[in-house]
Amino acid sequence: MFTMDTNGTLRTATQFEYQNYQSLDIRVKASDDGNLSVEKSFKVLILESPDFSELPATLKIQLNGSVAMDFILVEPGTFRMGENIGFEDPVITVQLTKPFYLAKYETTLLQYTVGHDSSYVHDESLGETVWNQPRTTLTSWERDNFFTDINSNFKSMIPDGWSFTLPTEAQWEYACKAGVKTYKDGAWRHPPYSTGETITKTDANFGGGVGAQTRSVGYYPPNAWGFYDMHGNVEEVTSTYYHNFSWYEETFVVDPVGPNTCLLYTSDAAD
């Protein structure tokens, strides 16, 4: 139980040992001096928060003497996933309880090649622009082999118990939105883009047209958390199988990985 003044100041509260519970059903009742009141019930999930205070904010994985992959730590948090359109409907609330690292840039052709063979010396005659563009048109077999190789060759460079893998769709979208919110229709919400309600061709590479081409990674500005090309350039595959958001039976989910089987993986990009 707790009571609060009308200005929001906590007046009294009852303490309890939350370690004894996995969830709590809470009913809040607010009333005024005239005995007008309103009640609201909701469920609170009690989850253990991992200690990530000793994890570095960034990681640089040196693939060889001149080629590296940069990663940024993403802290746990809660966000609204999806949009009220198409297969992304309905919007659900997602809580991610564990920190993870996500690559700062899309994986380049050079990183992909050296990740397989750290002794590889790239052909400079192709030009740095080609080598610094994202590696595209990967088969699932090529992708799996890449992760097998970098986990075998570079796992000593990451925290114990961690491994290189694709992000889930929820992890990707959380990092893409980067905590950006706008006030619209009387409420704070995640806008469609990390740039806000709109996105332009100075923000990302999208839309096609005459002269359209894949750009080198990092050509456009990063989002609020420092990730590049989260919109446009190329589609980015996640580990989550393709599904309609109605697949989730609840409107609040924790660490979702998606369905177990489907024909396609999800990909995210601004078209």
Side-chain angles (χ1 to χ4, degrees):
M1 290 291 296
F2 64 89
T3 59
M4 302 180 71
D5 292 329
T6 55
N7 63 5
T9 302
L10 184 66
R11 184 185 300 170
T12 62
T14 301
Q15 297 182 349
F16 58 91
E17 294 295 328
Y18 71 87
Q19 290 90 343
N20 296 329
Y21 300 89
Q22 291 183 333
S23 65
L24 292 172
D25 291 309
I26 296 178
R27 186 176 74 253
V28 176
K29 179 179 181 181
S31 59
D32 60 15
D33 293 337
N35 289 325
L36 294 175
S37 64
V38 61
E39 293 189 25
K40 180 70 174 178
S41 298
F42 56 94
K43 181 184 290 288
V44 176
L45 297 181
I46 300 175
L47 305 170
E48 182 180 356
S49 178
D51 180 13
F52 56 91
S53 58
E54 295 185 2
L55 293 175
T58 60
L59 280 179
K60 182 179 287 290
I61 307 300
Q62 203 68 43
L63 302 180
N64 65 15
S66 60
V67 181
M69 295 183 73
D70 294 297
F71 293 83
I72 299 174
L73 179 67
V74 181
E75 299 181 2
T78 302
F79 76 108
R80 298 280 285 169
M81 180 175 170
E83 294 288 333
N84 291 316
I85 54 174
F87 73 90
E88 292 194 1
D89 183 52
V91 176
I92 59 174
T93 299
V94 172
Q95 182 170 16
L96 300 177
T97 65
K98 301 173 183 177
F100 61 95
Y101 286 97
L102 189 68
K104 184 176 181 178
Y105 305 99
E106 293 164 326
T107 302
T108 66
L109 174 61
L110 183 56
Q111 290 170 334
Y112 172 82
T113 305
V114 175
H116 281 299
D117 180 6
S118 60
S119 65
Y120 179 82
V121 179
H122 69 285
D123 182 0
E124 295 183 359
S125 66
L126 291 177
E128 292 304 311
T129 299
V130 173
W131 286 110
N132 287 328
Q133 288 183 358
R135 175 67 167 89
T136 59
T137 62
L138 282 175
T139 66
S140 60
W141 177 84
E142 290 172 319
R143 182 179 62 243
D144 292 343
N145 276 354
F146 174 71
F147 282 111
T148 297
D149 287 343
I150 60 174
N151 275 308
S152 174
N153 298 330
F154 306 105
K155 197 167 185 178
S156 62
M157 299 183 184
I158 60 178
D160 290 342
W162 292 53
S163 62
F164 295 98
T165 186
L166 288 171
T168 65
E169 183 181 17
Q171 290 173 327
W172 186 95
E173 187 167 329
Y174 179 55
C176 177
K177 291 183 172 179
V180 174
K181 291 184 179 181
T182 56
Y183 192 77
K184 185 177 181 180
D185 299 328
W188 287 97
R189 58 184 289 274
H190 291 294
Y193 310 102
S194 60
T195 53
E197 295 294 333
T198 60
I199 190 169
T200 70
K201 290 193 175 183
T202 60
D203 300 315
N205 182 23
F206 67 97
V210 177
Q213 60 180 323
T214 303
R215 295 287 188 179
S216 297
V217 301
Y219 183 89
Y220 294 88
N223 70 10
W225 288 354
F227 296 108
Y228 288 82
D229 299 310
M230 298 300 279
H231 297 300
N233 211 24
V234 296
E235 291 186 330
E236 300 179 4
V237 177
T238 73
S239 64
T240 303
Y241 285 112
Y242 178 88
H243 61 286
N244 187 290
F245 277 22
S246 61
W247 179 86
Y248 296 108
E249 296 181 354
E250 304 291 338
T251 57
F252 178 86
V253 293
V254 178
D255 297 325
V257 296
N260 294 325
T261 58
C262 198
L263 297 177
L264 302 170
Y265 285 91
T266 58
S267 60
D268 294 275
D271 296 325

